[in-house]
């Protein structure tokens, strides 16, 4: 292709524009008005102006840490296992978001929802034995405490993207099942019970227990992958089965894989299911500017002081 030289008057205008552009807007204004909403061009990149960790307050001395997940792209699915994991396809996550550093714990659950449905009781263990609808109640109460912010379950794409944390292997740490015990509570090391969150290694983005411990509900209905290159996909508009991810203390390593897609039909509660929360980056300004009024943590009923049989 022949190179076309720019006329002299274009060069003059460009130079003049650059000189003028240095004056009117301070650096602080540029950072707050533009960069926080600028999507990353490559997976794993995000704006340094956004804090990597924010903490929301649920009750008296009850907090929840949220980790920044950058915008980017990844290859979703797997060709080597279940049919519903195919085809492997590129997915774009257009904006960064915050995700629970840990699965929601029983202490956090009871700070907002007084009843504790859990089978394996312990304040720092994940809340489980939850219906998908139960999670929505928690998310609704939490969203009401931070006006302008909507807490949700992760979409299936958000969950797998965050779990992989830049990896392309079966697990966030590789494909060697021999390393599973360093990252997950699963059938070979759990002793048939859940465990307090955060005791195993985190993935590359600082998220714990993405494999094992408790299954994690996703927002999506179950459905086949389209196989195109979607941006921020949300699954079918309706269905009969909801997606869970991550495996549990009762499952083998194969079920805990990043791409595995277990499901269950609501409203029947799978006793292995818990969840973690997702919220947009607007939460960063909310927790910096103000915190909701504290409320006392509800006392647990006597029936929850020991595990259910």
């Amino acid at each position: 292709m022949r190179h076309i030289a720019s006329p002299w008057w274009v060069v003059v205008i460009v130079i003049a524009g650059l000189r003028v552009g240095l004056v009117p807007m301070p650096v602080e204004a540029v950072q707050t008005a533009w960069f926080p909403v600028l999507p990353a061009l490559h997976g794993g990149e995000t704006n340094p102006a956004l804090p990597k960790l924010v903490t929301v307050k649920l009750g008296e001395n009850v907090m929840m840490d949220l980790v920044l997940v950058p915008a980017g792209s990844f290859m979703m699915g797997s060709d080597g296992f279940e049919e519903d994991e195919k085809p492997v396809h590129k997915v774009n996550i257009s904006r960064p978001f915050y995700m629970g550093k840990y699965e929601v714990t029983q202490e956090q659950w009871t700070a907002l929802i007084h009843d504790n449905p859990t089978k394996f009781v312990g304040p720092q263990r994940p809340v489980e034995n939850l219906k998908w609808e139960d999670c929505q109640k928690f998310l609704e109460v939490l969203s009401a405490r931070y006006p302008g912010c909507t807490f949700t379950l992760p979409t299936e794409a958000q969950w797998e993207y965050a779990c992989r944390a830049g990896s392309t292997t079966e697990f966030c740490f590789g494909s060697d099942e021999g390393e599973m015990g360093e990252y997950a509570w699963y059938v070979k090391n759990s002793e048939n019970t859940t465990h307090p969150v955060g005791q195993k290694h985190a993935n590359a983005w600082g998220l714990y227990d993405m494999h094992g411990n408790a299954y994690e509900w996703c927002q999506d209905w179950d459905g086949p992958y389209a196989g195109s290159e979607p941006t921020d996909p949300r699954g079918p508009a309706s269905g009969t089965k909801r997606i869970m991810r991550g495996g549990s203390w009762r499952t083998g390593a194969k079920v805990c894989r990043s791409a595995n897609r277990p499901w269950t039909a609501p409203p029947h509660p799978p006793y292995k299911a818990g969840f973690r929360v997702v919220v947009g980056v607007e939460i960063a300004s909310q927790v910096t500017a103000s915190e909701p009024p504290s409320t006392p943590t509800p006392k647990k009923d006597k029936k929850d002081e020991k595990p259910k049989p």
Side-chain angles (χ1 to χ4, degrees):
M1 180 180 293
R2 184 169 58 90
H3 175 68
I4 302 175
S6 300
W8 66 268
W9 52 268
V10 172
V11 176
V12 170
I13 292 174
V14 169
I15 294 174
L18 290 174
R19 291 178 61 86
V20 171
L22 294 175
V23 178
M25 184 178 291
V27 172
E28 292 80 7
V30 174
Q31 289 176 337
T32 55
W34 173 248
F35 289 105
V37 298
L38 182 66
L41 298 179
H42 305 285
E45 296 182 5
T46 192
N47 174 26
L50 290 169
K52 293 182 179 180
L53 180 75
V54 298
T55 300
V56 297
K57 189 171 185 178
L58 306 184
E60 189 67 28
N61 299 320
V62 181
M63 308 293 183
M64 177 182 287
D65 290 337
L66 306 173
V67 173
L68 180 65
V69 177
S73 301
F74 77 111
M75 300 305 294
M76 187 173 185
S78 172
D79 283 331
F81 294 89
E82 307 296 336
E83 285 299 314
D84 66 352
E85 299 171 14
K86 301 175 183 177
V88 176
H89 57 292
K90 186 177 181 180
V91 172
N92 303 307
I93 303 297
S94 67
R95 291 179 178 273
F97 59 91
Y98 283 97
M99 186 180 221
K101 184 177 182 179
Y102 310 107
E103 296 167 322
V104 174
T105 66
Q106 294 168 48
E107 178 182 63
Q108 293 167 343
W109 176 266
T110 56
L112 298 186
I113 309 295
H114 292 199
D115 180 50
N116 185 2
T118 309
K119 180 177 181 180
F120 302 108
V121 175
Q124 298 306 314
R125 295 186 187 209
V127 61
E128 29 86 7
N129 199 36
L130 293 175
K131 303 174 186 177
W132 183 90
E133 292 83 358
D134 295 331
C135 303
Q136 303 304 315
K137 295 176 185 177
F138 180 94
L139 296 164
E140 182 179 350
V141 173
L142 182 55
S143 297
R145 295 169 65 86
Y146 288 93
C149 299
T150 302
F151 288 81
T152 68
L153 296 175
T155 65
E156 193 178 7
Q158 285 177 323
W159 192 96
E160 186 171 330
Y161 177 63
C163 178
R164 289 187 177 280
S167 67
T168 58
T169 47
E170 292 176 22
F171 309 100
C172 70
F173 53 84
S175 296
D176 183 3
E177 291 186 14
E179 298 181 39
M180 191 70 175
E182 298 297 317
Y183 290 83
W185 295 110
Y186 71 125
V187 70
K188 288 189 176 181
N189 66 355
S190 70
E191 298 182 343
N192 202 32
T193 183
T194 60
H195 292 262
V197 299
Q199 292 188 335
K200 297 297 184 177
H201 294 326
N203 70 9
W205 290 347
L207 298 164
Y208 289 81
D209 298 303
M210 295 297 288
H211 303 298
N213 218 8
Y215 273 118
E216 298 179 19
W217 282 112
C218 290
Q219 189 68 23
D220 299 7
W221 291 104
D222 176 54
Y225 290 145
S228 57
E229 186 178 329
T231 295
D232 304 323
R234 292 189 171 274
S238 61
T240 59
K241 301 174 290 186
R242 292 284 187 184
I243 290 289
M244 300 181 297
R245 287 295 197 119
S248 79
W249 77 94
R250 288 287 303 274
T251 62
K254 180 181 177 181
V255 178
C256 297
R257 290 177 299 106
S258 302
N260 193 42
R261 306 179 70 199
W263 54 264
T264 190
H268 309 296
Y271 68 93
K272 303 186 248 343
F275 71 111
R276 71 179 75 216
V277 306
V278 159
V279 68
V281 295
E282 59 271 12
I283 190 64
S285 60
Q286 278 276 358
V287 295
T288 301
S290 63
E291 288 186 327
S294 61
T295 55
T297 304
K299 294 182 179 179
K300 296 180 181 178
D301 296 335
K302 291 183 178 180
K303 65 180 181 180
D304 286 334
E305 291 178 356
K306 60 181 180 180
K308 300 175 183 178

